[in-house]
Amino acid sequence: MSQSKPIRRVAIIGTGVIGASWTSLFLAHGLDVVATDVAPGADAALKRFVATAWPALQRLGLAPGASQDRLSFTPVLTDAVKDADLVQENGPEKIEFKKTLYRQLDELLHPNVIIASSSSGLTMSEIQSACKMHPERCVIGHPFNPPHLVPLVEIVGGAKTSEATIQRAAEFYTSIGQRTVRVNKEMPGHVANRLQAALAREVYYLVAEGVVSAADVDTALCWGPGLRWGIMGNMMLNHLGGGKGGIEHFFQQFSGPMTAWWKTLGSPVLTADVQKKLIDSVHAEVGSRTVEELEAERDQVLLGLLEIRNKVAKPSQPKSKAAVA
């Protein structure tokens, strides 16, 4: 695969929450975006989402030439992907649907065009198995909701994905301000969702067992370790937790207590009764606030954190700008 062609035009397949957020991000970085979705009213809904997201993107800083006017929409897949340099696919998490779609894309697109999937759980090896011509250009580019604000992208290759594709995808996402993680082995749920699932398991257990309410467990997380996780990850925080002795002292000091806690961690079964207990506790925490109000609160705090982080540490630059210049 040649890495010389710049990525200037992106095709978005599927304009739900993730696809619309990707669209906003790409537009904010001065790219041309052609979106496609067969759902009724998808065009209008997408434009409303972008317009709503735009003030936050302006606050973070728009790239030269960034404009909502660089968005076009068509319900016809073949028209959407024509002349695209990269396709960001956000279709349903159904393997047969994706295999059919990727078989079609493989036949339509120039071999140089990357096909990136936002899939949160399906493996690229299974998805790309339908591609008979150029499976090497297919890769997972898994974002986190909402992608236009949360910069993490997990990059996972399949059995037939080329190293050149992985490198070019990483360079592209990095060039638009995202933080990429290279997942070296395919795992269900990739990495970050697995971390969230591990934490959610213990959260659900503690609430279901009556140890703590949903409100208090959320307070424990977001006003305790969550504040630190917004700055550094678990391994770096462990290193700091060891004081001057670093990670070595941390393990000497805490490996015993920590492994003892592991033995008491819960494995809740999400029966109807357990789910009702969790749901009732969450609604008690939510009170009269709407989902829209909670989303606005989340995004305002997130924007402030992003602005601070961007001042302190700039995203790492791609090794080569040839693919995105």
Side-chain angles (χ1 to χ4, degrees), residues 65-80:
S67 172
Q68 297 178 61
D69 293 336
R70 298 181 77 161
L71 169 64
S72 58
F73 183 93
T74 174
V76 181
L77 176 67
T78 52
D79 292 343

Side-chain angles (χ1 to χ4, degrees), residues 26-32 50 54 62-71:
F26 295 149
L27 290 170
H29 284 273
L31 300 173
D32 293 314
V50 173
W54 207 250
L62 299 177
S67 172
Q68 297 178 61
D69 293 336
R70 298 181 77 161
L71 169 64

Side-chain angles (χ1 to χ4, degrees), residues 223-245:
W223 289 101
L227 283 176
R228 298 192 303 233
W229 292 333
I231 303 165
M232 292 181 180
N234 184 78
M235 301 306 293
M236 284 294 289
L237 289 170
N238 286 172
H239 185 55
L240 295 183
K244 292 183 179 179

Side-chain angles (χ1 to χ4, degrees), residues 21-22 24-25 49 53 56-57 60 144 146-150 178 299 306:
S21 187
W22 270 130
S24 304
L25 177 68
F49 186 102
L57 292 163
L60 291 173
F144 283 79
H148 70 280
L149 296 181
V150 181
Q178 304 303 87
D299 291 352
L306 285 169

Side-chain angles (χ1 to χ4, degrees), residues 95-110:
I95 189 59
E96 291 307 319
F97 171 88
K98 288 195 187 290
K99 288 171 72 173
T100 299
L101 174 61
Y102 275 64
R103 184 182 301 112
Q104 186 177 4
L105 292 173
D106 192 38
E107 294 171 353
L108 286 172
L109 296 167
H110 186 278

Side-chain angles (χ1 to χ4, degrees), residues 121-128 138-140 155-161 183-191 194:
L122 299 176
T123 67
M124 182 44 67
S125 289
E126 193 170 12
I127 295 172
Q128 71 186 173
C138 301
V139 67
I140 297 288
I155 298 177
V156 196
K160 297 180 180 179
T161 305
V183 182
N184 296 315
K185 295 181 180 180
E186 290 181 302
M187 298 283 285
H190 315 316
V191 171
R194 292 176 67 89

Side-chain angles (χ1 to χ4, degrees), residues 24 38 65-66 107 219 223 236 251 260 292 310 314 320-321 325:
S24 304
V38 296
E107 294 171 353
T219 297
W223 289 101
M236 284 294 289
F251 282 128
E292 291 75 16
N310 288 338
K314 297 296 183 182
S320 170
K321 296 184 180 179

